[in-house]
Amino acid sequence: MPARTAFETATPPTTRDASETTARLRPVPPSADLRTPGRGGAAPAEDASETTARLRPIPPGPPAAAANPPGPGPASGTPAGVPASPPTGAPAHATRPTTRWHPQPPAPHAPDPARTRQSAARPHVTFGEPDLFRARGRGRAVVAGVCLVLGLGLIGGAVAGSWIAEDHEDSAAQGFAAAVPVWHSVPVDTLFPPVVQGAGDGPGGADRTWTRIAVAPDGGCADGFDPLLWKVLADAGCRRLLRATYTDATQSYVTTVGLLFTKADPAGMSALATRFRTQHLAERPDLMPRPYAARNTPAAGFGDDQRATWTISVRTDAPVVVYAVSGWADGRSVDTPQPAADAVRAGATTAQAQSGLGDEAQGLSGQIAQRLRRAVGSAATNTPNATKSSS
């Protein structure tokens, strides 16, 4: 029998506590290459990172006594299960397993492979902080630009409005001045044509036709109005009064239409128009114009008592008052005259309304007023002639 080596006959180390031995011993993966220490007593030096990577903690296992190499049982006199003490002169490290390396914790910032794979599967989204100062600067620039545009627009609108207003005032003043000499510079047949067509001026929108039967000669203004009405108009002055009397196609009605050219300026005409409107002077029966009754005409019997309806319009674009007064051609008298504006209203049941006398007065005065505007417009386009005539 060959002689046993010192390692085989060595006395096992002193029994240690099982828990301490279990805590100290940790197996390593099969791939770990543990080297047996030499007789010099010191294990070859290894890199700390390599050693740390090789050692992994495992759960507690069986007692370390089973780690002794197989061979014949212990020497006589040694209890079974108790390791023999090492022989004299044997190195100390030979009595202990080489797996007493304590495991080191993983590196603090070592990435977890599972978490790394999970993070790689998810999209990586980052949110940058908004540049508040830059956004605020852009907002201020936009607001400043809008304010600049609005300011320029308001200024331009104000300037354009002032220009338009000035042009309108100049045109109105020019037209007003051109209307002054119309009474003697425009032919009578232009202001009072022999036949006047009134499309839709009759009752219910019917067409009307009026034929001129007389033109009043030049005369004073006082004889053309009742004393009280003349008192109201006298403040505007009287430059000339033009009158003409018409009859309808059936010669059942007669109407006198007049143009009073005043001496007032635009402010005076505006004041007169305001007074008529606010005091309702055009609706008072004691402020009616007088008719022109021409002899040997259907209007021969058209006097003050035959006045049935009337209308008065104070112009502000020209120094002119346009009026008309209507009555029956048979000379019948009227006890209660009615303003033309009331006689043409829907539902009116008076004799003037049912006969259409209100439409006669309003329709004819409206047609004459249109001819006056056209005449003034033509005179305004020829300002030198108009100015020469007025002088």
Side-chain angles (χ1 to χ4, degrees):
M1 176 180 300
R4 296 183 178 180
T5 62
F7 182 82
E8 293 177 348
T9 60
T11 303
T14 307
T15 305
R16 298 176 181 270
D17 184 58
S19 60
E20 180 182 359
T21 304
T22 304
R24 292 179 178 180
L25 299 180
R26 295 292 184 273
V28 296
S31 60
D33 184 14
L34 297 181
R35 300 176 182 177
T36 304
R39 294 184 178 273
E46 296 182 356
D47 185 60
S49 61
E50 180 181 358
T51 305
T52 304
R54 293 177 180 178
L55 300 181
R56 296 291 187 273
I58 60 173
N68 293 333
S76 60
T78 301
V82 178
S85 58
T88 304
H93 65 271
T95 62
R96 296 181 181 179
T98 60
T99 59
R100 291 186 58 192
W101 299 94
H102 292 282
Q104 298 295 330
H109 301 287
D112 188 357
R115 183 173 297 177
T116 302
R117 290 192 299 272
Q118 185 178 3
S119 299
R122 294 195 305 266
H124 186 66
V125 180
T126 59
F127 296 92
E129 294 183 359
D131 194 346
L132 298 180
F133 295 100
R134 184 178 302 174
R136 185 177 300 174
R138 288 196 299 268
R140 289 177 178 175
V142 172
V143 172
V146 172
C147 293
L148 178 61
V149 173
L150 292 178
L152 293 177
L154 292 175
I155 294 174
V159 173
S162 64
W163 289 345
I164 294 174
E166 291 177 0
D167 293 342
H168 179 72
E169 291 178 357
D170 294 342
S171 299
Q174 184 178 0
F176 192 92
V180 174
V182 166
W183 66 271
H184 66 82
S185 61
V186 177
V188 174
D189 289 345
T190 301
L191 296 177
F192 300 132
V195 178
V196 178
Q197 300 290 339
D201 289 335
D207 296 339
R208 307 296 284 179
T209 300
W210 297 281
T211 303
R212 188 184 67 189
I213 57 178
V215 175
D218 292 341
C221 296
D223 296 338
F225 307 99
D226 283 346
L228 188 57
L229 178 57
W230 172 241
K231 184 177 181 180
V232 174
L233 297 175
D235 293 338
C238 176
R239 191 182 300 273
R240 185 64 62 176
L241 176 61
L242 304 181
R243 295 181 296 173
T245 300
Y246 288 81
T247 185
D248 66 315
T250 62
Q251 296 187 355
S252 300
Y253 315 110
V254 288
T255 303
T256 295
V257 60
L259 297 175
L260 171 63
F261 287 84
T262 69
K263 297 179 180 180
D265 57 4
M269 294 304 297
S270 297
L272 183 62
T274 301
R275 183 180 181 185
F276 264 81
R277 183 180 64 256
T278 57
Q279 298 181 9
H280 306 283
L281 301 182
E283 302 173 3
R284 292 175 52 172
D286 55 347
L287 297 176
M288 284 193 300
R290 286 179 173 174
Y292 172 64
R295 297 179 181 180
N296 303 322
T297 65
F302 188 27
D304 292 344
D305 294 337
Q306 284 71 40
R307 293 176 294 183
T309 182
W310 77 98
T311 179
I312 300 177
S313 174
V314 180
R315 310 290 302 180
T316 57
D317 56 347
V320 179
V321 177
V322 183
Y323 69 90
V325 56
S326 299
W328 280 275
D330 57 2
R332 73 181 71 176
S333 61
V334 179
D335 296 333
T336 308
Q338 184 181 26
D342 295 339
V344 298
R345 289 178 181 174
T349 58
T350 60
Q352 294 89 331
Q354 293 180 354
S355 63
L357 279 175
D359 298 281
E360 294 288 321
Q362 276 199 342
L364 186 57
S365 64
Q367 291 294 329
I368 298 304
Q370 290 181 9
R371 292 181 175 274
L372 173 66
R373 286 194 297 270
R374 288 195 292 266
V376 172
S378 298
T381 58
N382 193 5
T383 306
N385 293 341
T387 305
K388 182 179 179 181
S389 299
S390 62
S391 59

